Amino acid sequence: MEQAETQKTTTLRDNTPMGLWKCRIDGLINKPDSSRIAAIYAVMDCFFILISIAFLVLETEGKVKDYFINPKNPYYYYLFGINSGIMAFFTADYIARIWSAVSKVVFLKQVLPWLDLLSILPFYVELVIMAYSGPQTVDTEGNSDAGGWYVVLRVCRVFRVIRVFKLARRSENLLILLKAVGNTSTELFVLFIMVFMVVLMFGSIMYTVESTTSEDGKTNFTSIMSGCWWSVITVTTVGYGDLYPETPLGMVVGTVALCWA
């Protein structure tokens, strides 16, 4: 069966040495069961993804984040070199996926390639910023000498969390789940609209009730937005407890909202 799939894939490409190389690269990257080298490549890919995610998490830990974000630290450039090597691997992997794809249009219509691109681009944005303003220096209070670029760097680092979706490519069950979510997008949209309507309705009612029936006119529900926040955590049965009704009528509304959920 695997041979039949390989032959089918090969027939979709040009019968040239370049086409055969594309078929081999595609098997190496996308089919871990095709050969032992492909299986090793898949393990390396997962290992680098986990290391990259670990770096992202450790950069926010107070005891070790200085190693990752402060160029004056002796370990900074070692860790930066490791991260650069991992990103070079991800970049080469992404270019090879595009190059070996049977149809570039079909490849770019998928969601995972764009998530891969979003996980890679922040690194190069950081490199451009570092080349322009120099490596940022962060003091013990979290202040940076990168000026206005510091916000851009922070946003770029947040986008790196998208790399976790790269693991989905290595799990058939996760891919099936993502396809199921995509196939039910209409139903999920309708559900979102219904939840939005319920949240807005109960948030508005709670704000009106609490602001008009409280004895001294003081209430924690200062706006409809605060009422919607209370409605969200109530309808979803989270219940943080930071906002709650204090009037008898407000308690009735809260009970109805909870039963509605």
Side-chain angles (χ1 to χ4, degrees):
M1 184 176 180
E2 293 181 358
Q3 293 179 353
E5 292 181 354
T6 304
Q7 292 177 358
K8 182 179 179 180
T9 304
T10 306
T11 56
L12 296 175
R13 304 178 188 274
D14 297 331
N15 190 18
T16 60
M18 183 66 69
L20 294 177
W21 271 109
K22 288 183 177 181
C23 184
R24 293 173 183 174
I25 296 298
D26 180 69
L28 173 67
I29 296 176
N30 298 314
K31 299 174 183 177
D33 299 332
S34 61
S35 66
R36 182 174 297 180
I37 298 178
I40 295 174
Y41 183 88
V43 173
M44 289 177 55
D45 188 29
C46 293
F47 178 74
F48 287 150
I49 293 172
L50 294 176
I51 292 295
S52 178
I53 296 172
F55 276 22
L56 175 63
V57 174
L58 291 175
E59 284 180 4
T60 61
E61 287 293 327
K63 295 181 179 179
V64 296
K65 74 175 184 178
D66 194 59
Y67 298 162
F68 293 90
I69 63 178
N70 191 351
K72 296 179 180 179
N73 191 286
Y75 296 99
Y76 171 82
Y77 288 102
Y78 294 106
L79 295 174
F80 179 78
I82 295 174
N83 187 45
S84 300
I86 293 175
M87 291 310 304
F89 175 84
F90 289 158
T91 304
D93 176 85
Y94 186 77
I95 295 175
R97 288 181 187 278
I98 296 178
W99 180 73
S100 63
V102 177
S103 173
K104 306 297 188 295
V105 176
V106 174
F107 178 82
L108 294 176
K109 284 183 178 180
Q110 299 175 2
V111 177
L112 286 178
W114 290 104
L115 292 178
D116 289 343
L117 182 61
L118 286 176
S119 68
I120 295 172
L121 283 180
F123 173 77
Y124 294 101
V125 174
E126 290 184 27
L127 287 183
V128 173
I129 294 175
M130 291 171 62
Y132 177 78
S133 60
Q136 62 162 326
T137 301
V138 181
D139 58 25
T140 56
E141 296 180 355
N143 300 317
S144 173
D145 62 359
W149 295 112
Y150 184 58
V151 177
V152 179
L153 290 172
R154 295 293 293 271
V155 173
C156 289
R157 284 170 177 167
V158 169
F159 270 99
R160 288 188 300 174
V161 76
I162 298 176
R163 293 173 192 172
V164 71
F165 289 100
K166 294 171 68 69
L167 292 173
R169 188 187 300 110
R170 299 301 178 183
S171 174
E172 294 183 1
N173 294 330
L174 284 176
L175 290 175
I176 293 173
L177 180 61
L178 291 175
K179 289 180 180 179
V181 172
N183 293 334
T184 58
S185 58
T186 303
E187 291 77 6
L188 291 175
F189 179 74
V190 173
L191 177 62
F192 173 79
I193 294 298
M194 292 180 62
V195 172
F196 174 77
M197 293 170 59
V198 172
V199 167
L200 183 60
M201 179 181 66
F202 281 108
S204 302
I205 293 174
M206 182 60 73
Y207 165 72
T208 304
V209 168
E210 286 292 303
S211 61
T212 56
T213 60
S214 59
E215 296 180 357
D216 54 0
K218 295 181 179 180
T219 176
N220 293 326
F221 294 87
T222 57
S223 64
I224 291 180
M225 288 297 296
S226 62
C228 289
W229 168 247
W230 166 86
S231 184
V232 167
I233 62 178
T234 301
V235 170
T236 57
T237 66
V238 175
Y240 286 128
D242 54 343
L243 281 176
Y244 53 87
E246 298 178 348
T247 63
L249 188 56
M251 294 178 185
V252 172
V253 175
T255 304
V256 175
L258 186 59
C259 293
W260 190 289

